[in-house]
Amino acid sequence: MSLGDSPARAPATRIGATALRLRPWAGVILAWLAIATIAGVSIQHARQGAVGDQTRELRLLSLALADEIDRGLAVVDEGFSALRSELRDGRLPVSGVDAPQLLRTRADLMPLVDSLWIFDRHGHLLTSSDASRPPALASFVPTLDSLQGGVLSVARPFDDEVSHANRLAIAVGFAAAPGAPDGGWIVGAIPSAALLGAFASAALAPDVRAVVFREDGARLAALNFGMPRQDESEIASHLDDASAGAIRRFRDGSDNLVAVRSVPRHRMTVVVARDLRDVLSGWRAVAEVRTLVLLLLLAFMLVAMHLVTRADRRRARAQLDLQTQRLRATRLESLGTLAGGVAHDFNNVLAGIIGFAEMARDAAVPESRQAHHIDQATQAALRGKALTDRILSFSTGGGQASSVFVLQEVVVEVLDLIAVILPPGIALERALHVGERRVRGDPMQAFEAVMNLCSNAIQAMPDGGVVTVRLESVEFRAERILSHSALGAGRYLAVTVMDGGKGIDLEAAEHLFEPFFTTRGSQGGTGLGLFVVHGVVARFGGGVDLRSAPGGGATFTLYFPESSEPLALTPPPDVADVAARGRGEAILLVDDDADLIEMGTEMLRGLGYDATGTCDALDALRQIENDPARYAALITDESMPCMSGTELATLARNAAPGLPILILSGHGGASLPARAEAAGAAQRLAKPLLRASLAAALRTLLG
């Protein structure tokens, strides 16, 4: 073991890797803690602000209430002063039948006062404004005996027996008139609520409470105040102006913000209070919202960090997968290039076989054994042509044929072939409802795609089941997103293949159409089948949709864009030969294979053309440059050693503008159509050629 691999360093390496993984999370937590700290400080400032604002409001309210009491009692004092003057001057009798009525008149003229009594120095009632019971004289503070001058004394509140209203009694002494007995006391009753005046309407909140205490702690009047008597006594005996704004905990367990104001002239104390819970209700709602936002922010940051971390891991895996796919793609591209080269050379061989066979067939006696043998050889060569077409479809983009065909005929051909090879226990159901509706593309590729899906459906049910194939026409009025494709609005022919197998899980469905992905494991899956299906449908301009669930089977639907073009009618070979014969036009044939030049020129001369052949593209270009008007058309192979057919076509069109050009190719790649169009080639044919196809292409080319 080397020093670099020692066990002592392995834990340190793991710890370092763990620290690197945790570093982003630590940053997230620290960022959230910083935000939470700032939010907490702002919440605390908001609380202090709410308490401070309410403290100022309560101070103003206590000041307003103290001023209201002072002014209200000052009005009562003025009325008492007038009564004292009348009693001292003898203008108001304290006895006789008219005394109560006169006192009633005086009470009606005094604001707040609703009852008046006059007592002598011995506490005997001399007269009263009504029949209500007077308060106990012993309940006044200061005591009535100690009153001097115009000092007011206030009694404890008492309930009126007639009106059952809580009332407050105020007394003042008076001196007797000359010649009358000693003076006494004037006692007036006012409603207890009147002591608070307009405070109830001036309160800034309905939960504000107020109470007025006498100097000995007795409660005189209250608004919304239901605290225990012990709290009243404590507040009255311990609070003063300096404690305004103090937070007090009452005996009922509630915290209250309290403001105190004294009324010195009348020896009273005003207390205004508000429950701290009510004061902070708005702040508490804001604090709860901010706390919730902080928690949501933390959750969002953690989720975002989790997603970012997971995305990083996925990105790393994707990069690794991409490297693997690139290696596979390079290997596949090499195989495709090799396959294309083999197919090209094989096509050249088949071209000679088919061409010479067709000319030999013309020289054979009709219905003879020689003609029959030539036909058999031609059919074998055509089967070889179909084989090279399949090889080219696997290679890197062989040029694809495109024609308008009836899709239902292709599907029927697939199902007829499948029905012959169905294993025991598998049933095939078909529901084909599109009739003669058509699509444009390569019918061989459509055949291969449907065959692939049907084969997969059969293999998905090793214990037997039913494969259902449905073909129908659908129309999408807006863009439709499928499981693995997106379709634009339009009409489509939908081929659906359903099986009753074990189904496909979500993870497998994500990768199902990727190259080399297979769910068969060691059972021999290549992972190219569905990849080819997806590519085929994409070349048609359609899409693929998958619906499956574990244990519920799988449903694949291929969407092919419906075509409104008419079917191309191909005449029988003999008719085509007659209809497409030339009129002696000069044709230049270019191919790097001498045998194909010999076969091609002979075939063209047999079709009525003046054919000239060359294996050298440069020689062909010199002939055209020397005599641009000599040839009616140029036929050239695409794959040649010194110059490609499209390059020759471009140079030839520069030397002879308007020269019709036909490109032949056994392996031109997916970009051949675009290259041929850019070079000015009006027609393209795939090798190996059939004489009828060449004759028809030339007649179209020459108009």
Side-chain angles (χ1 to χ4, degrees), residues 139-498:
S139 64
F140 283 90
V141 172
T143 61
L144 298 183
D145 292 336
S146 64
L147 292 181
Q148 296 179 358
V151 176
L152 296 180
S153 178
V154 181
R156 288 182 178 274
F158 64 98
D159 293 329
D160 182 64
E161 294 179 348
V162 178
S163 63
H164 303 288
N166 189 261
R167 300 203 294 176
L168 193 66
I170 302 173
V172 66
F174 69 91
D182 292 339
W185 299 285
I186 303 172
V187 178
I190 65 173
S192 296
L195 190 64
L196 299 176
F199 175 80
S201 60
L204 300 182
D207 57 343
V208 173
R209 298 178 289 175
V211 64
V212 181
F213 293 106
R214 202 169 59 180
E215 64 179 351
D216 63 344
R219 187 172 73 168
L220 302 179
L223 174 68
N224 300 332
F225 218 84
M227 68 172 59
R229 291 290 180 177
Q230 297 90 335
D231 289 323
E232 295 180 5
S233 301
E234 182 179 350
I235 291 175
S237 59
H238 293 92
L239 296 181
D240 52 23
D241 288 347
S243 64
I247 297 178
R248 303 286 299 186
R249 172 158 292 183
F250 292 168
R251 295 181 184 271
D252 60 1
S254 64
D255 291 326
N256 292 262
L257 191 62
V258 178
V260 180
R261 187 73 58 177
S262 64
V263 187
R265 188 169 64 169
H266 303 294
R267 294 176 296 279
M268 297 181 184
T269 301
V270 174
V271 178
V272 179
R274 191 179 181 193
D275 195 315
L276 192 60
R277 291 173 300 180
D278 298 326
V279 172
L280 298 177
S281 59
W283 168 85
R284 189 176 297 107
V286 173
E288 290 174 354
V289 171
R290 292 186 179 180
T291 303
L292 178 61
V293 170
L294 283 174
L295 294 177
L296 292 177
L297 178 61
L298 176 61
F300 173 78
M301 294 173 70
L302 294 177
V303 171
M305 193 61 205
H306 171 70
L307 294 177
V308 169
T309 304
R310 188 171 65 178
D312 289 340
R313 290 197 298 266
R314 286 182 175 178
R315 191 178 299 110
R317 287 198 301 266
Q319 290 176 349
L320 181 60
D321 293 342
L322 182 59
Q323 293 175 357
T324 304
Q325 290 175 8
R326 284 176 177 171
L327 293 175
R328 290 172 177 171
T330 302
R331 186 166 60 251
L332 183 60
E333 184 178 358
S334 301
L335 289 174
T337 302
L338 176 63
V342 172
H344 175 265
D345 294 338
F346 192 43
N347 268 335
N348 285 343
V349 175
L350 291 176
I353 295 173
I354 293 173
F356 284 118
E358 286 187 322
M359 289 186 287
R361 181 65 171 79
D362 292 340
V365 177
E367 306 299 331
S368 65
R369 291 187 60 82
Q370 180 184 14
H372 175 70
H373 292 162
I374 294 175
D375 289 341
Q376 291 298 318
T378 302
Q379 292 299 321
L382 290 176
R383 286 195 295 272
K385 178 180 183 299
L387 177 60
T388 59
D389 289 342
R390 293 180 63 84
I391 294 175
L392 287 174
S393 68
F394 175 77
S395 69
T396 53
Q400 304 298 333
S402 178
S403 62
V404 178
F405 64 95
V406 176
L407 182 60
Q408 184 162 312
E409 294 178 356
V410 174
V411 176
V412 168
E413 186 177 352
V414 172
L415 298 183
D416 290 345
L417 180 59
I418 289 291
V420 177
I421 61 173
L422 279 178
I426 300 291
L428 179 64
E429 292 184 356
R430 61 181 77 187
L432 313 179
H433 305 297
V434 300
E436 299 297 318
R437 295 182 182 270
R438 303 174 295 278
V439 297
R440 169 172 280 280
D442 187 348
M444 179 63 70
Q445 290 189 350
F447 179 96
E448 183 176 0
V450 178
M451 173 66 79
N452 203 318
L453 290 185
C454 292
S455 299
N456 285 353
I458 293 172
Q459 295 174 5
M461 299 183 295
D463 299 328
V466 179
V467 176
T468 303
V469 180
R470 189 169 60 242
L471 177 59
E472 56 190 342
S473 177
V474 296
E475 181 177 6
F476 298 142
R477 300 188 179 276
E479 182 183 14
R480 177 67 60 91
I481 304 300
L482 307 178
S483 64
H484 292 77
S485 305
L487 290 181
R491 296 193 64 86
Y492 296 86
L493 299 185
V495 180
T496 301
V497 179
M498 295 181 289

Side-chain angles (χ1 to χ4, degrees), residues 580-597:
R581 294 185 63 82
R583 301 180 180 87
E585 295 93 334
I587 304 296
L588 178 59
L589 176 63
V590 185
D591 197 299
D592 60 330
D593 191 318
D595 292 336
L596 292 184
I597 288 292

Side-chain angles (χ1 to χ4, degrees), residues 53-136:
D53 292 342
Q54 190 60 40
T55 298
R56 288 188 290 272
E57 291 179 5
L58 293 181
R59 285 176 177 174
L60 292 175
L61 287 176
S62 63
L63 179 61
L65 180 56
D67 184 65
E68 182 79 11
I69 293 172
D70 190 58
R71 288 188 288 107
L73 293 180
V75 172
V76 174
D77 191 23
E78 291 177 0
F80 281 0
S81 296
L83 285 176
R84 291 174 63 200
S85 299
E86 288 185 301
L87 290 172
R88 186 179 61 247
D89 298 341
R91 290 181 284 114
L92 180 63
V94 294
S95 60
V97 295
D98 295 332
Q101 182 60 40
L102 292 173
L103 194 59
R104 175 74 260 167
T105 302
R106 302 301 187 276
D108 292 340
L109 294 175
M110 296 176 64
L112 303 181
V113 177
D114 53 14
S115 295
L116 285 173
W117 299 273
I118 297 178
F119 292 87
D120 61 13
R121 288 289 180 180
H122 303 288
H124 299 135
L125 179 63
L126 301 178
T127 184
S128 62
S129 62
D130 52 43
S132 61
R133 185 176 64 85

Side-chain angles (χ1 to χ4, degrees), residues 496-533:
T496 301
V497 179
M498 295 181 289
D499 65 67
K502 63 181 182 180
I504 303 170
D505 58 48
L506 291 177
E507 185 175 356
E510 287 289 330
H511 306 283
L512 201 60
F513 293 95
E514 296 178 1
F516 304 108
F517 179 82
T518 178
T519 58
R520 297 181 193 167
S522 60
Q523 299 178 12
T526 64
L528 288 174
L530 291 177
F531 171 65
V532 171
V533 169

